[in-house]
């Protein structure tokens, strides 16, 4: 009963939010089924650590989308069945499968979910100067399936959806700006997302806390107390940004 009550409360909040924002017009002559018009958002964690920075920000963005009236499908890439990046079989370039990855492994259903979604939230930590290998595997499969190698029609995708790309990092936010140490990391992914999947907004959360206790590691580069203090002061603001950006996807 408690579960049913919670779901009912979520449903009512969605309805009120959408009515207040004039996303559904109703009058005495029109009745519309809110569930039929509910948008579907896929939220994907491409980081390995449950409950940590990337996971928290993705889930907060998903909460924002849910509050705005969306149905959320959460995917944890590190807990799927075995999968790989693109294997260059070119099945997605053959008649009958244009724009559809045909390789059946742990990512096959994820790609289908994105194909049928109205928006995508995806996040990754920076590992060794780039996104995680899991993010990269999905990124290859998601974008390459739409590449046509056709000058007249460069993309098979006719259903572009908005994307929120979240990146967490031990480095400062400024290192991701133009001219920064990681200045090219965001643009190269944003370019491909926007070319093949849809318009993309980015949230970078830098100078994150990596571990609970820095003292047990031989890490002389970091001041653990300063990192924790920074986290306590700023991370809530990043959660609020993620929530708002999640709302704006819907």
């Amino acid at each position: 009963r408690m579960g049913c009550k919670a779901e009912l409360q979520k449903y009512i909040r969605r309805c009120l939010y959408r009515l207040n924002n004039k996303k559904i017009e109703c009058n005495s002559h029109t009745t519309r089924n809110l569930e039929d018009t509910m948008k579907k958002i896929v939220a994907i964690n491409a980081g390995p650590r449950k409950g940590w920075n990337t996971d928290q920000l993705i889930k907060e963005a998903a909460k924002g989308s849910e509050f705005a009236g969306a149905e959320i499908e959460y995917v944890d890439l590190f807990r799927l069945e075995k999968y790989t990046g693109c294997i260059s079989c070119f099945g997605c370039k053959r008649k009958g499968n244009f724009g559809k990855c045909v390789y059946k492994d742990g990512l096959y259903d994820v790609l289908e979910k994105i194909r049928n979604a109205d928006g995508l939230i995806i996040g990754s930590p920076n590992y060794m100067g780039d996104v995680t290998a899991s993010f990269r595997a999905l990124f290859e499969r998601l974008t390459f399936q739409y590449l046509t190698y056709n000058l007249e029609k460069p993309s098979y995708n006719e259903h572009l959806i908005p994307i929120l790309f979240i990146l967490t990092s031990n480095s400062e936010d400024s290192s991701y700006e133009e001219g920064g140490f990681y200045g090219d990391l965001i643009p190269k992914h944003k370019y491909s997302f926007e070319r093949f999947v849809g318009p993309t907004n980015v949230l970078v959360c830098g100078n994150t806390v990596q571990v609970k206790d820095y003292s047990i590691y031989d890490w002389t580069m970091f001041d653990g107390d300063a990192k924790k203090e920074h986290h306590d002061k700023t991370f809530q603001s990043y959660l609020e940004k993620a929530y708002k950006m999640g709302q704006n996807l819907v």
Side-chain angles (χ1 to χ4, degrees), residues 7-248:
E7 289 302 312
L8 178 60
Q9 289 173 337
K10 286 182 182 179
Y11 177 74
I12 292 172
R13 286 199 301 269
R14 291 170 185 159
C15 295
L16 290 173
Y17 180 88
R18 303 180 78 188
L19 287 168
N20 288 337
N21 286 275
K22 298 181 180 179
K23 295 191 175 184
I24 295 176
E25 296 179 0
C26 300
N27 55 42
S28 58
H29 303 291
T30 305
T31 301
R32 296 187 57 185
N33 189 324
L34 291 170
E35 289 294 338
D36 289 343
T37 62
M38 185 179 292
K39 291 188 176 181
K40 292 180 172 61
I41 303 292
V42 177
I44 299 178
N45 182 10
R49 306 175 72 191
K50 292 187 73 172
W52 277 80
N53 306 303
T54 307
D55 189 32
Q56 287 185 56
L57 289 166
I58 292 167
K59 286 180 176 176
E60 198 65 20
K63 287 179 184 177
S65 294
E66 185 177 44
F67 184 79
E71 177 184 345
I72 307 299
E73 179 92 28
Y74 187 81
V75 177
D76 193 330
L77 292 187
F78 275 80
R79 286 154 186 84
L80 295 178
E81 294 181 8
K82 184 178 178 181
Y83 60 88
T84 183
C86 178
I87 63 170
S88 198
C89 68
F90 296 105
C92 57
K93 317 289 180 229
R94 303 186 67 173
K95 289 182 179 179
N97 292 308
F98 285 153
K100 181 177 180 180
C101 181
V102 299
Y103 189 64
K104 293 189 176 182
D105 62 2
L107 285 180
Y108 183 84
D109 288 342
V110 178
L111 292 167
E112 283 297 298
K113 292 179 193 300
I114 297 172
R115 195 186 320 281
N116 295 311
D118 300 297
L120 172 64
I121 300 167
I122 184 166
S124 171
N126 177 342
Y127 279 5
M128 298 301 293
D130 211 331
V131 292
T132 62
S134 294
F135 182 105
R136 180 67 195 184
L138 175 61
F139 183 76
E140 288 177 2
R141 301 268 293 274
L142 176 61
T143 56
F144 185 70
Q145 65 181 345
Y146 295 130
L147 176 63
T148 65
Y149 289 130
N150 187 313
L151 294 175
E152 289 72 35
K153 184 180 180 181
S155 174
Y156 289 120
N157 189 11
E158 296 180 352
H159 176 55
L160 297 179
I161 60 174
I163 301 170
L164 172 55
F165 173 26
I166 297 172
L167 185 75
T168 59
S169 174
N170 177 53
S171 297
E172 299 282 354
D173 290 6
S174 59
S175 64
Y176 293 90
E177 297 172 358
E178 185 176 357
F181 191 78
Y182 297 117
D184 65 339
L185 199 161
I186 297 295
K188 68 181 181 181
H189 290 96
K190 189 173 189 287
Y191 171 80
S192 293
F193 271 142
E194 293 195 324
R195 183 179 179 190
F196 296 112
V197 188
T200 303
N201 285 318
V202 178
L203 175 61
V204 176
C205 178
N207 195 13
T208 55
V209 168
Q210 300 152 290
V211 294
K212 292 181 179 179
D213 184 0
Y214 279 80
S215 68
I216 64 175
Y217 300 95
D218 185 25
W219 295 351
T220 58
M221 289 180 64
F222 310 117
D223 181 335
D225 292 335
K227 295 277 281 184
K228 187 176 186 306
E229 182 181 358
H230 175 79
H231 178 273
D232 292 343
K233 286 182 177 179
T234 65
F235 194 68
Q236 181 59 37
S237 68
Y238 285 104
L239 291 172
E240 291 170 2
K241 288 178 184 177
Y243 186 91
K244 185 63 176 178
M245 294 175 84
Q247 279 188 318
N248 292 338

